[in-house]
Amino acid sequence: MTFDNLKPLIKDILQEKVPVDTRLTKVCELLKETVPYYDWVGFYFKNSDKDELKLGSFAGEPTDHVIIPFGKGICGQVAVSNKNFVVPDVKAQDNYIACSIYVKAEIVVPLFVNGENVGQIDIDSHTADPFTEEDEKFLEFVNAKVAEILE
């Protein structure tokens, strides 16, 4: 299934009349099930007024990394930089938090609501260097649609 085919499905899920967490979990599950190299998909959000992220909805193996301090790991760096971070090879990253021995690559895209970085979508892959600019653009689309239900 192409990203263009997934976009209307994402919109439909996010418009459902169920709790936000349920919708976000459905988005994570859809992405994990339909994109072959998306092995773990989750949303991290700023944890109230603390300089840390807290895991929200996700699909994939449970992780011990429920809280991530700003600046630590790929997710923590995105919380500070406000920029997408594509990691083709996690072993080449000094500031990487290993969630699974199978993870080879990661992409993290910040989620903005009214110009403020409130969280991010994080995707781990068991495939080396799978992410392209097309993934980045698609995940920016997903986050823009998520932002609409968080405003």
Side-chain angles (χ1 to χ4, degrees), residues 51-98:
D51 285 342
E52 65 185 23
L53 297 164
K54 185 174 184 181
L55 180 61
S57 300
F58 71 95
E61 291 294 316
T63 178
D64 292 335
H65 303 286
V66 176
I67 300 291
I68 298 177
F70 282 12
K72 188 159 173 52
I74 308 307
C75 292
Q77 290 176 74
V78 169
V80 174
S81 73
N82 298 322
K83 294 187 172 107
N84 299 351
F85 198 157
V86 179
V87 182
D89 178 5
V90 296
K91 285 188 239 122
Q93 284 294 316
D94 292 337
N95 191 5
Y96 172 69
I97 301 172

